[in-house]
Amino acid sequence: MSDTHVPEAEVSNALIPESDDSSDADSAVGGLTYASSTTSARSDVYTSVEEFGRTYHGYKSGKYLLPNDEKERDRLDLQHMLFTISCDGALALAPIGKPRRVLDIATGTGIWAMEFAEQYPDARVTGTDLSPIQPSYVPTNCQFEIADAEDEWNFSRPFDYIHGRALLTCFADPRSIIQKAYDSLTPGGYLEFQDGLFPFQFMDPQPPPENPLRSFLETVAECGTKIGRPWTNVQHYKRWFEEIGFEDVEEKRLYWPCGPWAKGDKMKKLGIYFMEDMKHAFEPVAMKMFVKILGWSEEKTKKFLDEEVMPLLGARKTYMYETVCFTYGRKPLNP
């Protein structure tokens, strides 16, 4: 049963729109190591693919939807700020103690892995990704590997903590990734996914079905399903954790407003950052989905995006928000 619906009372307690007469002023937001996998010697690992004026990963080209260029790296680092602000600076919500071996799947720029390595100097942190976009100068207890999490996992030793976030666009079968993580954990080790429900939702007044922003989100979700990589799987994470055998499974939900409409300094900052995040994500998503899957022309797609969708991001009385689910569980001591 679908669980993308979030109780209105729960959301209302977290996201309170400013009154309509609030001023616009309120919206202001007052050691060298690099380890690579055995694939790293192949030229396609470091070769970028150019499309729609952006660059994408060359290793297993086309598997991941979003770019890997400088603009995208900036967006990913902004997204990191969204997660850390939401969690008041915490990098993990699971009660992980002092893990010694840590894995970060789909690490992106590696910013989470590097910060975790700094905060846990006794841990050995490994980040994996399809794109070699991580820096070379990193904490001495942090390393990166070029790897596809959908392939067989061949790590030599199990991990005490496995982390992944913003994975909703990544995998055809997230349940299989959860299973691989379970198999790769030490008894008593934790898996934690931090991810958002999709399509994004709206507080009342609900936009009509023909609203361009709502239509865009629903169409993107349909395209994800069409290509066999549904963006709607986050709602199932908790159940899958439990079915696979994790104990003490928890799901905590936090909220990101899109735009500076929610009350409170923290929510305003989250709203502005999330709006910027989406401004930079929507264009490559639209190009890939609408042009390559639906067959729209680039001109038609850009016009729809620039003239109809983008003006609604953060617009007054367009109370869009994302529900971010922090799901974690412990592998039994006697599995």
Side-chain angles (χ1 to χ4, degrees), residues 127-174:
T128 64
D129 202 275
L130 290 172
S131 287
I133 58 173
Q134 305 78 31
S136 296
Y137 292 92
V138 301
T140 55
N141 59 328
C142 181
Q143 64 179 13
F144 298 107
E145 300 182 2
I146 307 307
D148 182 356
E150 292 187 305
D151 289 345
E152 183 179 354
W153 291 18
N154 294 310
F155 299 104
S156 59
R157 295 168 56 195
F159 297 93
D160 304 307
Y161 177 52
I162 298 177
H163 167 271
R165 70 179 184 194
L167 305 174
L168 68 93
T169 65
C170 294
F171 305 126
D173 181 12

mmCIF file of all heavy atoms in Angstrom, residues 127-174:
data_model
loop_
_atom_site.group_PDB
_atom_site.id
_atom_site.type_symbol
_atom_site.label_atom_id
_atom_site.label_comp_id
_atom_site.label_asym_id
_atom_site.label_seq_id
_atom_site.Cartn_x
_atom_site.Cartn_y
_atom_site.Cartn_z
ATOM 1 N N GLY A 127 34.002 5.578 0.265
ATOM 2 C CA GLY A 127 32.888 6.085 -0.520
ATOM 3 C C GLY A 127 32.955 5.523 -1.926
ATOM 4 O O GLY A 127 34.029 5.457 -2.531
ATOM 5 N N THR A 128 31.805 5.091 -2.470
ATOM 6 C CA THR A 128 31.767 4.535 -3.830
ATOM 7 C C THR A 128 30.806 5.337 -4.699
ATOM 8 O O THR A 128 29.804 5.862 -4.219
ATOM 9 C CB THR A 128 31.327 3.064 -3.821
ATOM 10 O OG1 THR A 128 29.973 2.960 -3.341
ATOM 11 C CG2 THR A 128 32.238 2.220 -2.940
ATOM 12 N N ASP A 129 31.132 5.409 -5.984
ATOM 13 C CA ASP A 129 30.278 6.144 -6.920
ATOM 14 C C ASP A 129 30.654 5.752 -8.348
ATOM 15 O O ASP A 129 31.739 5.217 -8.597
ATOM 16 C CB ASP A 129 30.453 7.654 -6.729
ATOM 17 C CG ASP A 129 29.256 8.450 -7.248
ATOM 18 O OD1 ASP A 129 29.214 8.758 -8.454
ATOM 19 O OD2 ASP A 129 28.353 8.741 -6.436
ATOM 20 N N LEU A 130 29.746 6.050 -9.283
ATOM 21 C CA LEU A 130 30.032 5.834 -10.702
ATOM 22 C C LEU A 130 30.978 6.890 -11.256
ATOM 23 O O LEU A 130 31.664 6.654 -12.259
ATOM 24 C CB LEU A 130 28.738 5.853 -11.512
ATOM 25 C CG LEU A 130 27.769 4.689 -11.344
ATOM 26 C CD1 LEU A 130 26.463 4.978 -12.083
ATOM 27 C CD2 LEU A 130 28.386 3.397 -11.873
ATOM 28 N N SER A 131 31.001 8.080 -10.654
ATOM 29 C CA SER A 131 31.784 9.200 -11.167
ATOM 30 C C SER A 131 32.990 9.493 -10.276
ATOM 31 O O SER A 131 32.841 9.595 -9.057
ATOM 32 C CB SER A 131 30.924 10.465 -11.262
ATOM 33 O OG SER A 131 30.005 10.387 -12.322
ATOM 34 N N PRO A 132 34.170 9.691 -10.857
ATOM 35 C CA PRO A 132 35.362 10.038 -10.072
ATOM 36 C C PRO A 132 35.454 11.540 -9.844
ATOM 37 O O PRO A 132 36.369 12.210 -10.307
ATOM 38 C CB PRO A 132 36.511 9.539 -10.960
ATOM 39 C CG PRO A 132 35.987 9.728 -12.350
ATOM 40 C CD PRO A 132 34.490 9.462 -12.283
ATOM 41 N N ILE A 133 34.480 12.080 -9.120
ATOM 42 C CA ILE A 133 34.401 13.537 -8.932
ATOM 43 C C ILE A 133 34.778 13.953 -7.520
ATOM 44 O O ILE A 133 34.582 15.097 -7.126
ATOM 45 C CB ILE A 133 32.978 14.055 -9.262
ATOM 46 C CG1 ILE A 133 31.932 13.370 -8.380
ATOM 47 C CG2 ILE A 133 32.676 13.871 -10.740
ATOM 48 C CD1 ILE A 133 30.529 13.962 -8.535
ATOM 49 N N GLN A 134 35.361 13.034 -6.762
ATOM 50 C CA GLN A 134 35.762 13.344 -5.393
ATOM 51 C C GLN A 134 37.164 13.969 -5.418
ATOM 52 O O GLN A 134 37.959 13.714 -6.326
ATOM 53 C CB GLN A 134 35.771 12.074 -4.533
ATOM 54 C CG GLN A 134 34.456 11.308 -4.533
ATOM 55 C CD GLN A 134 34.247 10.474 -5.792
ATOM 56 O OE1 GLN A 134 35.200 9.995 -6.384
ATOM 57 N NE2 GLN A 134 32.996 10.327 -6.208
ATOM 58 N N PRO A 135 37.500 14.775 -4.416
ATOM 59 C CA PRO A 135 38.835 15.389 -4.385
ATOM 60 C C PRO A 135 39.914 14.357 -4.101
ATOM 61 O O PRO A 135 39.646 13.275 -3.572
ATOM 62 C CB PRO A 135 38.720 16.409 -3.250
ATOM 63 C CG PRO A 135 37.624 15.890 -2.386
ATOM 64 C CD PRO A 135 36.651 15.210 -3.299
ATOM 65 N N SER A 136 41.140 14.688 -4.448
ATOM 66 C CA SER A 136 42.277 13.808 -4.172
ATOM 67 C C SER A 136 42.807 13.992 -2.755
ATOM 68 O O SER A 136 43.262 13.045 -2.127
ATOM 69 C CB SER A 136 43.407 14.072 -5.168
ATOM 70 O OG SER A 136 42.998 13.758 -6.478
ATOM 71 N N TYR A 137 42.765 15.219 -2.241
ATOM 72 C CA TYR A 137 43.253 15.494 -0.896
ATOM 73 C C TYR A 137 42.109 15.299 0.093
ATOM 74 O O TYR A 137 41.179 16.099 0.145
ATOM 75 C CB TYR A 137 43.810 16.912 -0.806
ATOM 76 C CG TYR A 137 45.079 17.099 -1.599
ATOM 77 C CD1 TYR A 137 45.031 17.540 -2.916
ATOM 78 C CD2 TYR A 137 46.318 16.813 -1.031
ATOM 79 C CE1 TYR A 137 46.194 17.705 -3.651
ATOM 80 C CE2 TYR A 137 47.491 16.971 -1.750
ATOM 81 C CZ TYR A 137 47.427 17.413 -3.066
ATOM 82 O OH TYR A 137 48.577 17.563 -3.791
ATOM 83 N N VAL A 138 42.176 14.216 0.828
ATOM 84 C CA VAL A 138 41.090 13.838 1.733
ATOM 85 C C VAL A 138 41.697 13.396 3.060
ATOM 86 O O VAL A 138 42.911 13.172 3.167
ATOM 87 C CB VAL A 138 40.239 12.697 1.131
ATOM 88 C CG1 VAL A 138 39.653 13.112 -0.208
ATOM 89 C CG2 VAL A 138 41.051 11.418 0.976
ATOM 90 N N PRO A 139 40.878 13.272 4.104
ATOM 91 C CA PRO A 139 41.405 12.739 5.367
ATOM 92 C C PRO A 139 42.086 11.387 5.142
ATOM 93 O O PRO A 139 41.670 10.597 4.291
ATOM 94 C CB PRO A 139 40.148 12.597 6.235
ATOM 95 C CG PRO A 139 39.207 13.624 5.698
ATOM 96 C CD PRO A 139 39.453 13.655 4.212
ATOM 97 N N THR A 140 43.119 11.124 5.894
ATOM 98 C CA THR A 140 43.897 9.903 5.680
ATOM 99 C C THR A 140 43.105 8.634 5.971
ATOM 100 O O THR A 140 43.493 7.551 5.529
ATOM 101 C CB THR A 140 45.157 9.911 6.564
ATOM 102 O OG1 THR A 140 44.766 10.096 7.931
ATOM 103 C CG2 THR A 140 46.095 11.037 6.146
ATOM 104 N N ASN A 141 42.000 8.751 6.689
ATOM 105 C CA ASN A 141 41.157 7.585 6.971
ATOM 106 C C ASN A 141 39.951 7.512 6.038
ATOM 107 O O ASN A 141 38.954 6.851 6.347
ATOM 108 C CB ASN A 141 40.686 7.598 8.430
ATOM 109 C CG ASN A 141 39.885 8.834 8.791
ATOM 110 O OD1 ASN A 141 40.129 9.917 8.254
ATOM 111 N ND2 ASN A 141 38.921 8.678 9.688
ATOM 112 N N CYS A 142 40.047 8.166 4.878
ATOM 113 C CA CYS A 142 38.945 8.173 3.902
ATOM 114 C C CYS A 142 39.501 7.796 2.537
ATOM 115 O O CYS A 142 40.599 8.231 2.153
ATOM 116 C CB CYS A 142 38.308 9.561 3.853
ATOM 117 S SG CYS A 142 36.927 9.724 2.712
ATOM 118 N N GLN A 143 38.756 6.994 1.792
ATOM 119 C CA GLN A 143 39.157 6.618 0.448
ATOM 120 C C GLN A 143 37.914 6.510 -0.436
ATOM 121 O O GLN A 143 36.799 6.351 0.063
ATOM 122 C CB GLN A 143 39.910 5.292 0.438
ATOM 123 C CG GLN A 143 39.065 4.102 0.888
ATOM 124 C CD GLN A 143 39.830 2.794 0.834
ATOM 125 O OE1 GLN A 143 41.052 2.777 0.701
ATOM 126 N NE2 GLN A 143 39.106 1.691 0.945
ATOM 127 N N PHE A 144 38.139 6.595 -1.738
ATOM 128 C CA PHE A 144 37.035 6.508 -2.688
ATOM 129 C C PHE A 144 37.310 5.443 -3.742
ATOM 130 O O PHE A 144 38.462 5.252 -4.143
ATOM 131 C CB PHE A 144 36.784 7.863 -3.353
ATOM 132 C CG PHE A 144 36.377 8.934 -2.390
ATOM 133 C CD1 PHE A 144 37.258 9.949 -2.054
ATOM 134 C CD2 PHE A 144 35.126 8.913 -1.796
ATOM 135 C CE1 PHE A 144 36.889 10.930 -1.141
ATOM 136 C CE2 PHE A 144 34.748 9.883 -0.896
ATOM 137 C CZ PHE A 144 35.634 10.897 -0.553
ATOM 138 N N GLU A 145 36.254 4.791 -4.169
ATOM 139 C CA GLU A 145 36.348 3.763 -5.197
ATOM 140 C C GLU A 145 35.290 4.011 -6.266
ATOM 141 O O GLU A 145 34.172 4.434 -5.954
ATOM 142 C CB GLU A 145 36.160 2.370 -4.600
ATOM 143 C CG GLU A 145 37.192 2.000 -3.543
ATOM 144 C CD GLU A 145 36.991 0.596 -3.007
ATOM 145 O OE1 GLU A 145 36.074 -0.108 -3.494
ATOM 146 O OE2 GLU A 145 37.756 0.192 -2.113
ATOM 147 N N ILE A 146 35.632 3.752 -7.512
ATOM 148 C CA ILE A 146 34.670 3.823 -8.593
ATOM 149 C C ILE A 146 33.987 2.468 -8.673
ATOM 150 O O ILE A 146 34.627 1.446 -8.953
ATOM 151 C CB ILE A 146 35.353 4.155 -9.933
ATOM 152 C CG1 ILE A 146 36.211 5.411 -9.776
ATOM 153 C CG2 ILE A 146 34.299 4.337 -11.027
ATOM 154 C CD1 ILE A 146 35.470 6.600 -9.199
ATOM 155 N N ALA A 147 32.712 2.446 -8.379
ATOM 156 C CA ALA A 147 31.983 1.184 -8.315
ATOM 157 C C ALA A 147 30.505 1.427 -8.547
ATOM 158 O O ALA A 147 29.994 2.519 -8.293
ATOM 159 C CB ALA A 147 32.203 0.509 -6.958
ATOM 160 N N ASP A 148 29.841 0.410 -9.019
ATOM 161 C CA ASP A 148 28.395 0.437 -9.241
ATOM 162 C C ASP A 148 27.739 -0.406 -8.152
ATOM 163 O O ASP A 148 27.947 -1.618 -8.088
ATOM 164 C CB ASP A 148 28.076 -0.124 -10.630
ATOM 165 C CG ASP A 148 26.598 -0.099 -10.966
ATOM 166 O OD1 ASP A 148 25.784 0.293 -10.095
ATOM 167 O OD2 ASP A 148 26.238 -0.465 -12.103
ATOM 168 N N ALA A 149 26.951 0.232 -7.300
ATOM 169 C CA ALA A 149 26.328 -0.488 -6.181
ATOM 170 C C ALA A 149 25.357 -1.559 -6.650
ATOM 171 O O ALA A 149 25.001 -2.448 -5.863
ATOM 172 C CB ALA A 149 25.614 0.498 -5.258
ATOM 173 N N GLU A 150 24.926 -1.484 -7.913
ATOM 174 C CA GLU A 150 24.029 -2.517 -8.431
ATOM 175 C C GLU A 150 24.779 -3.778 -8.849
ATOM 176 O O GLU A 150 24.155 -4.809 -9.097
ATOM 177 C CB GLU A 150 23.212 -1.966 -9.599
ATOM 178 C CG GLU A 150 22.221 -0.904 -9.163
ATOM 179 C CD GLU A 150 21.281 -0.460 -10.265
ATOM 180 O OE1 GLU A 150 21.765 -0.042 -11.338
ATOM 181 O OE2 GLU A 150 20.049 -0.528 -10.053
ATOM 182 N N ASP A 151 26.114 -3.710 -8.936
ATOM 183 C CA ASP A 151 26.918 -4.903 -9.200
ATOM 184 C C ASP A 151 27.095 -5.700 -7.918
ATOM 185 O O ASP A 151 26.716 -5.268 -6.831
ATOM 186 C CB ASP A 151 28.293 -4.500 -9.749
ATOM 187 C CG ASP A 151 28.214 -3.965 -11.169
ATOM 188 O OD1 ASP A 151 27.172 -4.172 -11.836
ATOM 189 O OD2 ASP A 151 29.196 -3.332 -11.623
ATOM 190 N N GLU A 152 27.729 -6.866 -8.039
ATOM 191 C CA GLU A 152 28.029 -7.680 -6.866
ATOM 192 C C GLU A 152 29.008 -6.942 -5.965
ATOM 193 O O GLU A 152 29.954 -6.307 -6.441
ATOM 194 C CB GLU A 152 28.635 -9.017 -7.299
ATOM 195 C CG GLU A 152 28.924 -9.974 -6.158
ATOM 196 C CD GLU A 152 29.495 -11.295 -6.635
ATOM 197 O OE1 GLU A 152 29.563 -11.496 -7.865
ATOM 198 O OE2 GLU A 152 29.893 -12.105 -5.779
ATOM 199 N N TRP A 153 28.772 -6.971 -4.673
ATOM 200 C CA TRP A 153 29.664 -6.330 -3.709
ATOM 201 C C TRP A 153 30.772 -7.319 -3.334
ATOM 202 O O TRP A 153 30.494 -8.433 -2.881
ATOM 203 C CB TRP A 153 28.899 -5.904 -2.465
ATOM 204 C CG TRP A 153 27.936 -4.761 -2.705
ATOM 205 C CD1 TRP A 153 27.444 -4.330 -3.907
ATOM 206 C CD2 TRP A 153 27.344 -3.916 -1.713
ATOM 207 N NE1 TRP A 153 26.599 -3.270 -3.731
ATOM 208 C CE2 TRP A 153 26.515 -2.989 -2.393
ATOM 209 C CE3 TRP A 153 27.439 -3.833 -0.328
ATOM 210 C CZ2 TRP A 153 25.776 -2.013 -1.728
ATOM 211 C CZ3 TRP A 153 26.710 -2.864 0.343
ATOM 212 C CH2 TRP A 153 25.889 -1.956 -0.344
ATOM 213 N N ASN A 154 32.023 -6.879 -3.488
ATOM 214 C CA ASN A 154 33.160 -7.760 -3.231
ATOM 215 C C ASN A 154 34.119 -7.183 -2.192
ATOM 216 O O ASN A 154 35.328 -7.332 -2.313
ATOM 217 C CB ASN A 154 33.923 -8.014 -4.548
ATOM 218 C CG ASN A 154 33.100 -8.800 -5.547
ATOM 219 O OD1 ASN A 154 32.541 -9.837 -5.205
ATOM 220 N ND2 ASN A 154 33.023 -8.314 -6.778
ATOM 221 N N PHE A 155 33.590 -6.537 -1.194
ATOM 222 C CA PHE A 155 34.444 -5.978 -0.155
ATOM 223 C C PHE A 155 35.068 -7.102 0.668
ATOM 224 O O PHE A 155 34.420 -8.109 0.968
ATOM 225 C CB PHE A 155 33.644 -5.042 0.744
ATOM 226 C CG PHE A 155 33.050 -3.870 0.002
ATOM 227 C CD1 PHE A 155 31.699 -3.835 -0.304
ATOM 228 C CD2 PHE A 155 33.850 -2.812 -0.412
ATOM 229 C CE1 PHE A 155 31.149 -2.763 -0.996
ATOM 230 C CE2 PHE A 155 33.315 -1.734 -1.105
ATOM 231 C CZ PHE A 155 31.958 -1.712 -1.401
ATOM 232 N N SER A 156 36.331 -6.906 1.037
ATOM 233 C CA SER A 156 37.071 -7.978 1.713
ATOM 234 C C SER A 156 36.628 -8.187 3.148
ATOM 235 O O SER A 156 36.762 -9.294 3.683
ATOM 236 C CB SER A 156 38.579 -7.674 1.679
ATOM 237 O OG SER A 156 38.858 -6.432 2.320
ATOM 238 N N ARG A 157 36.090 -7.127 3.774
ATOM 239 C CA ARG A 157 35.667 -7.218 5.167
ATOM 240 C C ARG A 157 34.327 -6.516 5.331
ATOM 241 O O ARG A 157 34.020 -5.574 4.594
ATOM 242 C CB ARG A 157 36.704 -6.571 6.089
ATOM 243 C CG ARG A 157 38.053 -7.281 6.114
ATOM 244 C CD ARG A 157 39.095 -6.428 6.816
ATOM 245 N NE ARG A 157 38.678 -6.067 8.168
ATOM 246 C CZ ARG A 157 39.252 -5.112 8.891
ATOM 247 N NH1 ARG A 157 40.248 -4.381 8.373
ATOM 248 N NH2 ARG A 157 38.826 -4.855 10.101
ATOM 249 N N PRO A 158 33.524 -6.933 6.307
ATOM 250 C CA PRO A 158 32.226 -6.288 6.518
ATOM 251 C C PRO A 158 32.369 -4.915 7.164
ATOM 252 O O PRO A 158 33.433 -4.558 7.688
ATOM 253 C CB PRO A 158 31.487 -7.264 7.444
ATOM 254 C CG PRO A 158 32.581 -7.970 8.182
ATOM 255 C CD PRO A 158 33.727 -8.084 7.218
ATOM 256 N N PHE A 159 31.275 -4.171 7.144
ATOM 257 C CA PHE A 159 31.245 -2.805 7.670
ATOM 258 C C PHE A 159 30.409 -2.742 8.946
ATOM 259 O O PHE A 159 29.503 -3.555 9.156
ATOM 260 C CB PHE A 159 30.657 -1.848 6.632
ATOM 261 C CG PHE A 159 31.480 -1.743 5.373
ATOM 262 C CD1 PHE A 159 31.205 -2.557 4.282
ATOM 263 C CD2 PHE A 159 32.534 -0.849 5.291
ATOM 264 C CE1 PHE A 159 31.964 -2.475 3.126
ATOM 265 C CE2 PHE A 159 33.303 -0.750 4.138
ATOM 266 C CZ PHE A 159 33.018 -1.570 3.050
ATOM 267 N N ASP A 160 30.706 -1.736 9.754
ATOM 268 C CA ASP A 160 29.924 -1.492 10.965
ATOM 269 C C ASP A 160 28.763 -0.540 10.703
ATOM 270 O O ASP A 160 27.777 -0.544 11.443
ATOM 271 C CB ASP A 160 30.815 -0.885 12.060
ATOM 272 C CG ASP A 160 32.016 -1.765 12.367
ATOM 273 O OD1 ASP A 160 31.815 -2.959 12.648
ATOM 274 O OD2 ASP A 160 33.153 -1.255 12.305
ATOM 275 N N TYR A 161 28.905 0.273 9.669
ATOM 276 C CA TYR A 161 27.857 1.254 9.325
ATOM 277 C C TYR A 161 27.895 1.491 7.823
ATOM 278 O O TYR A 161 28.962 1.752 7.248
ATOM 279 C CB TYR A 161 28.088 2.562 10.081
ATOM 280 C CG TYR A 161 27.120 3.683 9.752
ATOM 281 C CD1 TYR A 161 25.739 3.490 9.802
ATOM 282 C CD2 TYR A 161 27.586 4.956 9.411
ATOM 283 C CE1 TYR A 161 24.863 4.522 9.500
ATOM 284 C CE2 TYR A 161 26.718 5.996 9.126
ATOM 285 C CZ TYR A 161 25.353 5.771 9.164
ATOM 286 O OH TYR A 161 24.491 6.797 8.867
ATOM 287 N N ILE A 162 26.732 1.382 7.188
ATOM 288 C CA ILE A 162 26.590 1.667 5.759
ATOM 289 C C ILE A 162 25.566 2.777 5.606
ATOM 290 O O ILE A 162 24.472 2.722 6.184
ATOM 291 C CB ILE A 162 26.174 0.421 4.969
ATOM 292 C CG1 ILE A 162 27.250 -0.668 5.088
ATOM 293 C CG2 ILE A 162 25.943 0.764 3.495
ATOM 294 C CD1 ILE A 162 26.897 -1.978 4.399
ATOM 295 N N HIS A 163 25.940 3.780 4.826
ATOM 296 C CA HIS A 163 25.128 4.993 4.681
ATOM 297 C C HIS A 163 24.846 5.261 3.209
ATOM 298 O O HIS A 163 25.680 5.020 2.338
ATOM 299 C CB HIS A 163 25.904 6.179 5.291
ATOM 300 C CG HIS A 163 25.346 7.529 4.959
ATOM 301 N ND1 HIS A 163 25.739 8.242 3.834
ATOM 302 C CD2 HIS A 163 24.435 8.313 5.601
ATOM 303 C CE1 HIS A 163 25.095 9.398 3.801
ATOM 304 N NE2 HIS A 163 24.307 9.464 4.858
ATOM 305 N N GLY A 164 23.664 5.760 2.940
ATOM 306 C CA GLY A 164 23.327 6.220 1.595
ATOM 307 C C GLY A 164 22.249 7.281 1.693
ATOM 308 O O GLY A 164 21.353 7.196 2.531
ATOM 309 N N ARG A 165 22.349 8.295 0.835
ATOM 310 C CA ARG A 165 21.325 9.328 0.867
ATOM 311 C C ARG A 165 21.071 9.852 -0.546
ATOM 312 O O ARG A 165 21.920 9.731 -1.439
ATOM 313 C CB ARG A 165 21.728 10.478 1.799
ATOM 314 C CG ARG A 165 22.853 11.320 1.282
ATOM 315 C CD ARG A 165 23.175 12.452 2.253
ATOM 316 N NE ARG A 165 24.199 13.316 1.684
ATOM 317 C CZ ARG A 165 24.888 14.222 2.354
ATOM 318 N NH1 ARG A 165 24.659 14.387 3.653
ATOM 319 N NH2 ARG A 165 25.785 14.972 1.766
ATOM 320 N N ALA A 166 19.873 10.431 -0.730
ATOM 321 C CA ALA A 166 19.449 10.951 -2.032
ATOM 322 C C ALA A 166 19.629 9.884 -3.105
ATOM 323 O O ALA A 166 20.212 10.122 -4.159
ATOM 324 C CB ALA A 166 20.206 12.232 -2.373
ATOM 325 N N LEU A 167 19.100 8.702 -2.840
ATOM 326 C CA LEU A 167 19.263 7.554 -3.723
ATOM 327 C C LEU A 167 18.058 7.298 -4.612
ATOM 328 O O LEU A 167 18.072 6.374 -5.422
ATOM 329 C CB LEU A 167 19.516 6.292 -2.884
ATOM 330 C CG LEU A 167 20.681 6.334 -1.898
ATOM 331 C CD1 LEU A 167 20.694 5.064 -1.058
ATOM 332 C CD2 LEU A 167 22.001 6.504 -2.625
ATOM 333 N N LEU A 168 17.007 8.101 -4.481
ATOM 334 C CA LEU A 168 15.733 7.754 -5.119
ATOM 335 C C LEU A 168 15.825 7.651 -6.635
ATOM 336 O O LEU A 168 15.028 6.972 -7.267
ATOM 337 C CB LEU A 168 14.635 8.728 -4.700
ATOM 338 C CG LEU A 168 14.674 10.189 -5.150
ATOM 339 C CD1 LEU A 168 13.887 10.375 -6.445
ATOM 340 C CD2 LEU A 168 14.115 11.104 -4.078
ATOM 341 N N THR A 169 16.806 8.336 -7.250
ATOM 342 C CA THR A 169 16.964 8.291 -8.701
ATOM 343 C C THR A 169 17.966 7.235 -9.147
ATOM 344 O O THR A 169 18.192 7.074 -10.352
ATOM 345 C CB THR A 169 17.439 9.650 -9.237
ATOM 346 O OG1 THR A 169 18.753 9.923 -8.729
ATOM 347 C CG2 THR A 169 16.506 10.772 -8.806
ATOM 348 N N CYS A 170 18.570 6.513 -8.216
ATOM 349 C CA CYS A 170 19.766 5.723 -8.539
ATOM 350 C C CYS A 170 19.509 4.300 -8.998
ATOM 351 O O CYS A 170 20.210 3.797 -9.888
ATOM 352 C CB CYS A 170 20.694 5.677 -7.327
ATOM 353 S SG CYS A 170 21.417 7.274 -6.863
ATOM 354 N N PHE A 171 18.553 3.597 -8.385
ATOM 355 C CA PHE A 171 18.526 2.145 -8.522
ATOM 356 C C PHE A 171 17.222 1.626 -9.112
ATOM 357 O O PHE A 171 16.139 2.141 -8.815
ATOM 358 C CB PHE A 171 18.750 1.491 -7.157
ATOM 359 C CG PHE A 171 20.006 1.943 -6.472
ATOM 360 C CD1 PHE A 171 19.968 2.451 -5.176
ATOM 361 C CD2 PHE A 171 21.229 1.867 -7.114
ATOM 362 C CE1 PHE A 171 21.122 2.868 -4.543
ATOM 363 C CE2 PHE A 171 22.394 2.294 -6.486
ATOM 364 C CZ PHE A 171 22.342 2.789 -5.198
ATOM 365 N N ALA A 172 17.358 0.561 -9.910
ATOM 366 C CA ALA A 172 16.170 -0.112 -10.436
ATOM 367 C C ALA A 172 15.484 -0.931 -9.346
ATOM 368 O O ALA A 172 14.262 -1.047 -9.322
ATOM 369 C CB ALA A 172 16.563 -1.013 -11.610
ATOM 370 N N ASP A 173 16.276 -1.485 -8.432
ATOM 371 C CA ASP A 173 15.744 -2.357 -7.384
ATOM 372 C C ASP A 173 16.399 -2.016 -6.050
ATOM 373 O O ASP A 173 17.349 -2.683 -5.630
ATOM 374 C CB ASP A 173 15.997 -3.823 -7.756
ATOM 375 C CG ASP A 173 15.449 -4.802 -6.724
ATOM 376 O OD1 ASP A 173 14.673 -4.371 -5.836
ATOM 377 O OD2 ASP A 173 15.803 -5.996 -6.812
ATOM 378 N N PRO A 174 15.915 -0.966 -5.370
ATOM 379 C CA PRO A 174 16.533 -0.583 -4.095
ATOM 380 C C PRO A 174 16.511 -1.698 -3.046
ATOM 381 O O PRO A 174 17.399 -1.751 -2.192
ATOM 382 C CB PRO A 174 15.687 0.613 -3.640
ATOM 383 C CG PRO A 174 15.059 1.139 -4.890
ATOM 384 C CD PRO A 174 14.826 -0.053 -5.743
#
